[in-house]
Amino acid sequence: MAALLKSLLAASEKAANIAQLCRQEEALFSLLIEEKRGADKNKKFLQDFKTLADVLIQEVIKHDVGKEFPELQGYIRGEESNKFENGLGETVVVQVCPTQPETAALLQKVLDRNQTAAELLAAAVHQEMVLSDPALNDVTVTISTENMAVWIDPIDSTNQYISGRGDVVPVDGIYPSGLHSALVLIGVYNRHSGEPVLGIINEPFFQEQLPEHRWQSRYHWGISYGDTNLSSLSRPLPRAPPRVVLSSSEKRVLQKALVPLYGEQFCFASGAGYKMLCVALGFADAYVLSEGSTFKWDSCGPHAILRALGGGIVDFAGTLRAWRAGQHNLLPELTYNKPEEGATGADLWANRGGVIAYMHHDHLEAVMDTLAAAADVL
């Protein structure tokens, strides 16, 4: 598992480099947007976008990790289809080729024969990543990867990645929108139990370096398996008073229901993965979402990190029903191995009941007591 952690972290850093490269070249960036259509469209947004950066990052992680861990080939999945349509109406299957020139030639087809852009991206795809993180040398966990699978969200909060403001000011540590909420999310789960085992969150746009306007990334990781819980993060203390982070589109009835617990301590942010990260970093005590607008690839990585720190992510609707029925133990945590029955397209892997991400179990109990007392929630 230590070797897999290092491999995935290196892949996440390569992914961050690709995301930065695409974003820093405006002329290149304008070529990289294609609207999602049909069954793959996320219903939450009027317009949702797929970028070549998304597809390329996903395929790079599949390629690099699958090459090192052949037993995972076929079990590394992501949000994106790897078919991309260029401006000439050609459909191209994006993949990492054996050599850099071959990858560049393939990418030229996507980029409307833009050779310079294709060669820049191909160089990033084939770059050898060397991690300089001494803390990883102390990770000696031995867990078989035979029964594992991987969820990838190549760029969570794609709409913020596209809108691309890097000058958003944080509110008490939380960025309400902008590039800071665009993350690379990688989660490893047990194929049989569905439990999250290893998680990585990479922030490609963590810090902008001036005057060259280049972005610096950072990553966080966690391993939770049996009695083993390890993380690059330390467990944050509960906040006083407590604070919740929500989607700006969250239902007013839910916001009203949470007032007795949080008062005015509401924060709003973009990106499901980013809001889960805010809980892991201690900027919020919980992230509550009543709608089924997140997916397995959004939550698997953050969930593993939260579990490693003593927290977790439960199903909003299932937990509330259980709580009202007096069942306060063994609450329904999210799992990652089974599709939603009767669903199609992206909805097969939706967290249909909504989510509650938390760090401290006693705070989850306070959230559930508060919601259970509100008759108009669920």
Side-chain angles (χ1 to χ4, degrees), residues 71-249:
E71 68 274 18
L72 291 176
Q73 290 179 3
Y75 296 104
I76 304 175
R77 295 186 288 183
E79 175 183 8
E80 305 295 347
S81 164
N82 65 341
K83 294 180 180 178
F84 201 91
E85 187 174 314
N86 65 15
L88 302 175
E90 300 170 325
T91 297
V92 182
V93 177
V94 176
Q95 58 188 353
V96 178
C97 299
T99 68
Q100 184 173 323
E102 288 175 287
T103 300
L106 176 72
L107 291 174
Q108 276 195 62
K109 296 178 182 178
V110 179
L111 293 165
D112 299 336
R113 309 300 186 261
N114 186 326
Q115 182 178 350
T116 301
E119 289 179 350
L120 279 169
L121 287 173
V125 165
H126 287 271
Q127 180 184 3
E128 287 294 324
M129 300 302 299
V130 179
L131 292 176
S132 55
D133 188 345
L136 295 175
N137 297 328
D138 298 328
V139 180
T140 57
V141 183
T142 303
I143 302 170
S144 172
T145 56
E146 286 292 337
N147 296 318
M148 300 299 168
V150 183
W151 277 119
I152 306 165
D153 191 345
I155 302 178
D156 186 47
S157 195
T158 307
N159 59 322
Q160 292 299 322
Y161 177 63
I162 290 169
S163 63
R165 283 188 56 201
D167 58 351
V168 176
V169 177
V171 179
D172 293 327
I174 296 177
Y175 289 91
S177 62
L179 278 174
H180 289 87
S181 59
L183 309 176
V184 178
L185 307 174
I186 304 173
V188 179
Y189 65 95
N190 186 298
R191 296 204 305 267
H192 301 305
S193 69
E195 292 180 324
V197 174
L198 184 159
I200 292 169
I201 299 175
N202 194 304
E203 302 177 74
F205 304 100
F206 168 61
Q207 196 169 53
E208 190 174 19
Q209 297 174 319
L210 299 175
E212 60 269 27
H213 294 287
R214 296 285 173 180
W215 287 95
Q216 180 181 344
S217 65
R218 73 169 178 178
Y219 57 69
H220 317 281
W221 58 266
I223 296 173
S224 180
Y225 187 80
D227 296 329
T228 299
N229 288 290
L230 300 170
S231 180
S232 59
L233 296 170
S234 298
R235 192 184 199 203
L237 295 172
R239 300 183 66 88
R243 180 195 291 170
V244 66
V245 62
L246 303 170
S247 168
S248 60
S249 62

Side-chain angles (χ1 to χ4, degrees), residues 249-262:
S249 62
E250 184 56 71
K251 296 174 182 175
R252 295 299 173 191
V253 65
L254 181 94
Q255 294 185 40
K256 184 179 178 181
L258 291 172
V259 168
L261 177 59
Y262 295 110

Side-chain angles (χ1 to χ4, degrees), residues 7-54:
S7 177
L8 288 170
L9 284 171
S12 82
E13 283 289 83
K14 185 182 286 189
N17 287 348
I18 294 169
Q20 292 162 354
L21 179 67
C22 292
R23 191 58 194 85
Q24 283 162 356
E25 300 293 335
E26 287 292 343
L28 170 62
F29 188 66
S30 66
L31 297 173
L32 302 183
I33 302 169
E34 178 194 7
E35 186 177 353
K36 288 181 182 174
R37 298 179 177 88
D40 288 333
K41 186 175 177 66
N42 180 342
K43 292 179 292 188
K44 182 172 179 181
F45 301 105
L46 294 178
Q47 279 192 316
D48 196 5
F49 294 95
K50 174 166 59 186
T51 65
L52 176 59
D54 265 328

Side-chain angles (χ1 to χ4, degrees), residues 272-314:
Y274 179 69
K275 288 188 277 288
M276 294 169 191
L277 175 61
C278 288
V279 177
L281 295 175
F283 295 140
D285 296 279
Y287 161 42
V288 181
L289 177 70
S290 64
E291 297 182 346
S293 55
T294 68
F295 298 84
K296 302 303 182 188
W297 48 78
D298 295 318
S299 55
C300 188
H303 193 173
I305 294 174
L306 287 168
R307 279 171 63 106
L309 295 170
I313 304 179
V314 295

